[in-house]
Amino acid sequence: MSRPRIVIVGAGFAGYRTARTLSRLTRHQADITLLNPTDYFLYLPLLPQVAAGILEPRRVSVSLSGTLPHVRLVLGEADGIDLDGHTVHYTGPEGEEGTLPFDRLVLAAGSVNKLLPIPGVAEHAHGFRGLPEALYLRDHVTRQVELAAAADDRAECAARCTFVVVGAGYTGTEVAAHGAMYTDAQVRKHPMRTGMRPRWMLLDVAPRVMPEMDERLSRTAERVLRQRGVDVRMGTSVKEATHDGVVLTDGSTVDTRTLVWCVGVRPDPLVESLGLPMERGRLLVDPHLQVPGRPELFACGDVAAVPDLNQPGQYTPMTAQHAWRHGKVCAQNVAASLGIGERRAYRHRDMGFVVDLGGAKAAANPLGLPMSGPAAGAVTRGYHLAAMPGNRVRVAADWLLDAVLPRQAVQLGLVRSWSVPLESSSPEVARVPGSPKRPGKATGPAGQRPDGEEAGTHPGGEPAKGQPGGEPAKNEPGGEPAKEQPGGEPAKNQPGGEPAKNQPGGEPAGSRSHGGRAKGGQSGSPRASGKPRRAVEAAGPRPARGGSGMPGKAPRASGAGSAGKRPAAPSGPSRSVGPPTDPGPEPPANQPPPGPDIAPGPVKRTDGRAAEGDS
C-alpha cells in the first residue's frame, strides 16, 4: 500500500511549521512535499534590520532542505489547484511546469502587499515583504544620501534625503526607526555640502502609531521616533504620488525620491481561484483549520480565516504569531486525518508583542507587562533568537559586530527598482527580464525615474519601452538596436542589412530586415532559465562579420557623416557569401554600454559557428 501524499503550498511561518511538525509526527509514514518559490524560510520580523545594514540577508533566511531533511522541496509557484483531481499545478523558477498529486493539501501561501487605488502609488512606491525589497531599499537609501551629499542645489538635496514611509504599523514603524539611524550614521561620516540632514516621515490614517498594539507601547514607539527626528503624522496619508514627490491628504506636498509602502497586506490571490467561501479574501475554515465540505483540504496562516474561539464571531488576525501556531495545530490535524494522533481545535493565548526600534531602544509587553528602554531591547532580541528556527549564532554575532563596529554603507546594485514592483504578488522573488509569468502575477518592469531609478508602470500594464523585460527602446542594451547598430537592424546599404532600392539583391524600401525583431514581438523562444538575454540575442541573428576585424566589436565608420550613405554598388548579381568590403558606420557616441542586467553568454552567429569573445 502506497504512503499518503501531503502537499504544503508555501513555506512562510505557517507552512514551515506545518512541514516541520508533520515530519516529526508521521515518521516516514507519509510523503511530504513542500512547494515554495524560494529554498528558504524568511524570518520577516528582522527584515528591517537587513534594510538598515545590521544583518546580512542570509541571517534571516533559514534553509528549507537543511532544516527539513525528511521533506521533499519543490521550487515553484502554485498557479492552479484541481480539488476534484487532487493535483496542484505549478511553474518552476526556470519556466518549467509540473503537477503535484496529493491526498492531503495544506494551503499556507501567505500574504502580499496591499495596493490601494491611489494615483501614482503603483508606479513610484515599493513594498517591504521580501528580501529583494529590503535589499533594494538599502541600496536606494544609500544612493540617495550619497547623491544628496554631492548635490549643490538645496532643493535637490532636500528631496533626495527625504524618505516617506506610509503605514505606522509594526513594519512601517521599525523601517522608519532603523532607517533614521542608518542615514544619520551616513551623514555623520560624510556631511552634506548644504548642511542639511536626512528627514524621515511616517504617515498613517490611524490616530496613533501601531494602533493594533497596547496604547503604552504605542506611546513608547512614537516617543523614540520623535527623539530621532522622524516626522510622525497621524491622520494623514498619501493622496497622489509623482516622480518628484507626494501630495498628502492634508493638501501639502513633499518633495522626495523615496516612498516605502507598508500600509498592510492581503491574502495571496491563489485562494480566490478555488471558488470556495471566503471572508475578506481569506479562505473560511473551521476551528480545526479544515475547509468545510473538503476533508482533504486544510488552510492556515494569512490565507485562512480561522475562527477566534476566545472572541466568538471574530477571526484570528494576520500576524506571524498566529501563523506559527496555526502551523503546529494544522500539522496535528492533518496527521489525525491519516490516523495518527487526535484532532484539536485552534486556541491561542496572547503572549504579547515586541518591537525593535534599533540600538538599545524597543517596546515590548511580554505576558502583558509593558517595558521600554534597554530592558525591552534585551527582551525583544532574546525573543527573536528563541523564535528563529536557525541561524541564531550568526544573528547574535551580527548584533555584536554592529554594536562595536561602524556599518558598511555601500551599494551592491543587486536588485533594481523594476525587479520589485509594488503590484507583484510574489514579493519574495525579484523579477528579471524574460522570467516566466504566473497568471495574476505582476512581472513587468517599470519606467524610468528622473533620478536614475526605475519606477513602475501602471498596475497590470505594459512595461515601459526601454526597460528590461518590456519592449526595449532603440539604442538600449538588450532591446531592439537602432539602425546602424551592431547586432540590430542595419541601416540600408550597410553590411548584413536591408539593401536600398535599386541595389543588387535588394527589395523595396520599408520592409523589415532579418536582423531586427518586430516591435513588441519576441525574437525566438524564451530562455528556460528565465535569465536576461544578451543584447545581441534579444535583437535577433547577428549579421555576418565584416572587415571590421575583431568579433563582438562595432564596425568602424568610413567617415564623418557617412551613416546610412555609401557609394553605389556595382551592378550585377549580389554575393551570398564573403565579407563586405565596407566596414560600416560607427555607433553614435550616446550608445549606452550593456547594463548590469545583461547576463554574459555566447554570441550567436548566422554561420553556425561560435563567435570568439563577448559582445
Side-chain angles (χ1 to χ4, degrees), residues 162-466:
T162 298
F163 308 95
V164 179
V165 181
V166 185
Y170 184 97
T171 302
T173 300
E174 287 196 338
V175 168
H178 283 281
M181 290 187 65
Y182 181 60
T183 53
D184 284 346
Q186 280 187 269
V187 175
R188 197 176 299 120
K189 295 181 182 178
H190 305 285
M192 298 182 182
R193 296 181 184 177
T194 56
M196 302 186 69
R197 303 286 296 178
R199 176 192 182 195
W200 283 79
M201 297 182 64
L202 181 62
L203 313 176
D204 203 310
V205 295
R208 58 186 175 90
V209 173
M210 296 189 298
E212 70 278 3
M213 299 183 66
D214 183 84
E215 189 172 352
R216 286 171 292 187
L217 295 184
S218 177
R219 289 197 301 265
T220 299
E222 184 172 350
R223 183 175 65 252
V224 172
L225 291 172
R226 294 190 184 278
Q227 287 174 352
R228 292 182 182 163
V230 178
D231 185 359
V232 181
R233 298 192 186 184
M234 295 294 98
T236 306
S237 188
V238 173
K239 182 179 180 181
E240 182 183 359
T242 65
H243 287 291
D244 303 318
V246 293
V247 179
L248 306 184
T249 53
D250 60 7
S252 60
T253 300
V254 178
D255 294 334
T256 181
R257 299 291 191 273
T258 308
L259 181 58
V260 187
W261 194 255
C262 302
V263 169
V265 296
R266 60 187 177 91
D268 191 292
L270 172 68
V271 297
E272 299 175 359
S273 62
L274 299 179
L276 297 174
M278 310 284 289
E279 171 63 29
R280 295 186 178 181
R282 294 196 284 174
L283 194 61
L284 276 173
V285 297
D286 60 22
H288 300 91
L289 307 181
Q290 195 168 19
V291 177
R294 290 285 181 176
E296 77 284 0
L297 181 59
F298 296 79
C300 55
D302 290 349
V303 298
V306 182
D308 191 341
L309 298 183
N310 294 332
Q311 302 181 35
Q314 298 187 22
Y315 299 93
T316 58
M318 298 167 62
T319 63
Q321 270 194 22
H322 282 289
W324 187 252
R325 298 170 184 173
H326 286 177
K328 180 179 180 180
V329 175
C330 184
Q332 291 172 338
N333 292 335
V334 170
S337 70
L338 301 175
I340 304 172
E342 298 180 354
R343 297 176 70 198
R344 55 172 291 192
Y346 177 73
R347 289 183 180 272
H348 71 93
R349 180 190 174 193
D350 189 1
M351 304 295 291
F353 287 90
V354 294
V355 181
D356 192 327
L357 301 175
K361 300 297 181 67
N365 62 342
L367 301 177
L369 178 63
M371 303 176 65
S372 61
V379 169
T380 298
R381 296 202 168 182
Y383 167 80
H384 286 316
L385 287 179
M388 288 194 68
N391 295 345
R392 296 185 181 95
V393 175
R394 290 185 171 92
V395 170
D398 275 3
W399 283 340
L400 178 61
L401 292 176
D402 180 70
V404 298
L405 298 176
R407 298 182 194 175
Q408 297 174 299
V410 294
Q411 302 176 53
L412 299 180
L414 300 178
V415 181
R416 306 300 296 273
S417 175
W418 52 264
S419 299
V420 284
L422 180 62
E423 66 269 23
S424 172
S425 293
S426 288
E428 67 276 6
V429 180
R431 296 303 174 200
V432 295
S435 61
K437 294 184 179 181
R438 164 183 164 184
K441 296 281 185 181
T443 58
Q448 188 75 19
R449 286 178 60 123
D451 61 350
E453 286 290 314
E454 302 87 343
T457 58
H458 294 288
E462 192 175 280
K465 292 185 179 182

Side-chain angles (χ1 to χ4, degrees), residues 487-509:
E489 177 188 354
K492 295 179 181 182
N493 300 330
Q494 295 302 321
E498 173 187 353
K501 285 185 178 181
N502 304 324
Q503 296 300 324
E507 54 179 333

Side-chain angles (χ1 to χ4, degrees), residues 8-30:
I8 304 170
V9 178
F13 279 89
Y16 180 86
R17 185 78 183 276
T18 301
R20 193 172 74 170
T21 307
L22 264 176
S23 176
R24 176 176 55 84
L25 293 176
T26 57
R27 298 183 181 275
H28 308 288
Q29 299 179 43

